[in-house]
């Protein structure tokens, strides 16, 4: 069974904002879980690299751009040009027509328009890949909306042929049976494509060329109508028969007031958030293990900071809004990444100090309960993957960590006789392995020392 998971999907020429964080983290965890269950998983980053906004940007770059300026911070420069276009267009409305003409040129393959657009894509991708490296997120394919551009005519022809596309004021629209959904726009009256057209082309390509059985889209819940329309059109034209299409929508990210606040109207860049998380995690690492070298503390801080950001998101159901509360996220107690990382490090430390090989013997009732919990791991992954709900796995790992903490308090390992020690060590090893594997599925690397 082939599962395509589409996630992250930032927009070319705009900073990688906190708004794309949830899609990136949840999508990555869901893809990991399906893979662990033995599915043939394809991870896709569907980049926003097409549309009227590129007409605006090309016009702005040709009119006000400075070739030397972008070298230092190309994303900032592109954002500044985009903002300038909008402020100038308020004074001079004809700029909007110029932008439309440039996008039409881009769609028609004009060499000058394509050359400028390619510069935007190159600059943006270098920035995005740097962020993905920090997050430890990988994709099998990074395909922009532009990739499906050559399929657009074919898609419109199929929908027209089946009688579902109708002309309306010079534009092309799809009206749904019994008006169960609002009318969907397929093509503007100037012949240019829209987000819906390009998503239909991508869906058709994935079903027919990539032979997907299941396609899961991770985006914000504000796009739920778009996906209901998309899936309905696919059903009407007969593409999705026997296939599973899922919109795994998620709620917003809410940032704390103060330094990271968006109230001043600026985009909060994801990198700013990750830097702040790492800085705060360093304070925790320094307090916990002051004897470690500076390099060790920085390595721990980077891992714990990123883990805290990820786990804070994944421990919540994707439909709920997520709030960043630094103290809670970085606490060594309660349902947090540092607590789980510490729980694993504690088990690892017992294994390292035991100096005997694990060997399971007869189990008492507490141990049977614990091993039964460990044995539930695959069922939990199965449930979490099919519900696109990594919080189910996060909750299981948190409870498992608690139960193991109670176990080694009640049944000491290192002070026990050798035969008993071997047996208890086997129990401990099962828990450590499960915690490590579960955290890895959530995109978090377990540390031997924290």
């Amino acid at each position: 069974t082939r599962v395509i998971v589409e996630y992250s999907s930032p927009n070319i020429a705009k900073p990688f904002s906190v708004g794309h964080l949830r899609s990136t983290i949840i999508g990555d965890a869901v893809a990991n879980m399906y893979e662990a269950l033995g599915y043939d998983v394809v991870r896709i980053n569907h980049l926003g690299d097409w549309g009227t906004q590129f007409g605006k940007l090309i016009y702005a770059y040709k009119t006000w751009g400075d070739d030397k300026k972008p070298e230092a911070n190309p994303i900032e420069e592109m954002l500044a040009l985009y903002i300038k276009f909008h402020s100038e267009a308020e004074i001079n409305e004809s700029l909007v027509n110029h932008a439309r003409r440039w996008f039409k040129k881009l769609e028609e393959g004009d060499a000058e328009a394509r050359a400028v657009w390619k510069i935007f894509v190159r600059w943006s991708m270098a920035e995005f890949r740097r962020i993905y490296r920090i997050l430890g997120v990988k994709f099998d394919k990074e395909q922009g909306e532009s990739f499906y551009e050559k399929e657009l005519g074919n898609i419109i022809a199929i929908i027209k042929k089946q009688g579902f596309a109708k002309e309306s004021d010079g534009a092309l629209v799809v009206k749904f049976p019994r008006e169960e959904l609002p009318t969907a726009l397929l093509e503007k009256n100037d012949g240019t494509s829209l987000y819906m057209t390009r998503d239909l082309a991508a869906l058709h390509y994935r079903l027919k060329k990539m032979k997907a059985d299941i396609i899961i889209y991770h985006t914000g819940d504000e796009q739920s109508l778009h996906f209901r329309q998309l899936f309905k059109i696919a059903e009407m034209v007969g593409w999705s028969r026997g296939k599973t299409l899922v919109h795994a929508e998620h709620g917003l990210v809410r940032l704390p007031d103060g330094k990271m606040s968006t109230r001043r109207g600026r985009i909060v860049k994801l990198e700013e958030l990750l830097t702040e998380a790492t800085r705060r995690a360093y304070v925790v690492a320094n307090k916990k293990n002051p004897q470690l070298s500076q390099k060790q503390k920085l390595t721990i801080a980077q891992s714990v900071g990123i883990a805290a950001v990820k786990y804070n998101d994944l421990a919540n159901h994707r439909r709920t809004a997520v709030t960043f509360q630094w103290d809670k996220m970085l606490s060594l107690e309660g349902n947090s990444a540092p607590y789980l990382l510490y729980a694993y490090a504690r088990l690892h430390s017992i294994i390292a100090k035991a100096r005997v090989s694990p060997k399971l013997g007869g189990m008492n009732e507490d141990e049977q309960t614990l091993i039964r919990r460990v044995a539930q791991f695959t069922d939990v992954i199965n449930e979490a993957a099919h519900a696109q709900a990594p919080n189910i796995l996060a909750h299981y790992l948190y409870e498992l960590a608690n139960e193991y903490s109670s176990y080694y308090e009640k049944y000491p390992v290192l002070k026990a006789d050798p035969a008993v020690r071997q047996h208890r060590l086997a129990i401990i090893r099962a828990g450590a392995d499960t915690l490590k594997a579960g955290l890895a599925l959530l995109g978090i690397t377990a540390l031997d020392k924290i």
Side-chain angles (χ1 to χ4, degrees), residues 194-366:
L194 290 114
Y195 185 46
M196 177 60 79
T197 337
R198 299 188 288 271
D199 258 6
L200 280 164
L203 177 56
H204 185 258
Y205 180 88
R206 291 166 188 180
L207 291 171
K208 305 299 177 196
K209 301 253 176 79
M210 294 180 73
K211 310 285 186 221
D213 299 295
I214 301 168
I215 306 177
I216 304 164
Y217 296 83
H218 287 275
T219 78
D221 51 16
E222 73 283 355
Q223 290 194 41
S224 60
L225 172 61
H226 168 80
F227 281 99
R228 278 163 59 213
Q229 290 175 320
L230 178 72
F231 297 168
K232 188 66 188 175
I233 295 170
E235 183 193 311
M236 284 158 62
V237 293
W239 296 345
S240 57
R241 202 171 292 121
K243 309 289 186 179
T244 304
L245 306 179
V246 180
H247 179 218
E249 70 268 45
H250 56 75
L252 294 170
V253 171
R254 294 206 182 108
L255 293 164
D257 282 341
K259 193 175 174 186
M260 303 299 296
S261 174
T262 53
R263 282 190 179 173
R264 291 191 295 280
R266 67 189 181 91
I267 292 171
V268 174
K269 290 184 218 152
L270 181 54
E271 194 170 10
E272 289 177 13
L273 189 82
L274 300 177
T275 303
E276 180 69 3
T278 303
R279 186 188 71 74
R280 287 171 180 260
Y282 179 83
V283 175
V284 175
N286 196 31
K287 198 183 289 182
K288 190 94 182 60
N289 288 308
Q291 77 284 0
L292 294 179
S293 70
Q294 178 73 350
K295 191 180 177 186
Q296 285 173 310
K297 286 179 202 167
L298 286 170
T299 303
I300 290 171
Q302 175 84 0
S303 294
V304 172
I306 302 301
V309 168
K310 287 186 174 186
Y311 191 83
N312 179 66
D313 191 311
L314 298 172
N316 292 280
H317 190 277
R318 60 178 164 79
R319 299 287 300 268
T320 60
V322 162
T323 304
F324 277 82
Q325 295 171 291
W326 292 114
D327 293 345
K328 184 169 169 271
M329 277 167 66
L330 290 160
S331 171
L332 284 161
E333 292 159 14
N335 194 2
S336 68
Y339 172 75
L340 282 175
L341 289 169
Y342 182 69
Y344 169 77
R346 184 84 179 83
L347 295 178
H348 180 270
S349 166
I350 292 169
I351 295 164
K353 289 174 186 169
R355 291 201 173 89
V356 293
S357 53
K359 188 181 177 188
L360 203 57
M363 290 190 281
N364 64 33
E365 204 174 315
D366 289 340

Side-chain angles (χ1 to χ4, degrees), residues 108-121:
E108 288 165 352
D110 176 80
E112 190 181 13
R114 289 284 166 114
V116 176
W117 171 78
K118 278 178 182 168
I119 292 170
F120 299 152
V121 173

Side-chain angles (χ1 to χ4, degrees), residues 8 45 93 95 110 169 172-173 241 250 302 342:
S8 196
N45 191 3
E93 286 179 16
L95 264 59
D110 176 80
D169 298 329
L172 204 59
V173 301
R241 202 171 292 121
H250 56 75
Q302 175 84 0
Y342 182 69

Side-chain angles (χ1 to χ4, degrees), residues 401-416:
N402 280 338
E403 285 162 30
Y404 263 91
S405 177
S406 302
Y407 174 73
Y408 61 67
E409 289 295 330
K410 189 172 178 180
Y411 302 102
V413 179
L414 301 176
K415 291 176 186 170

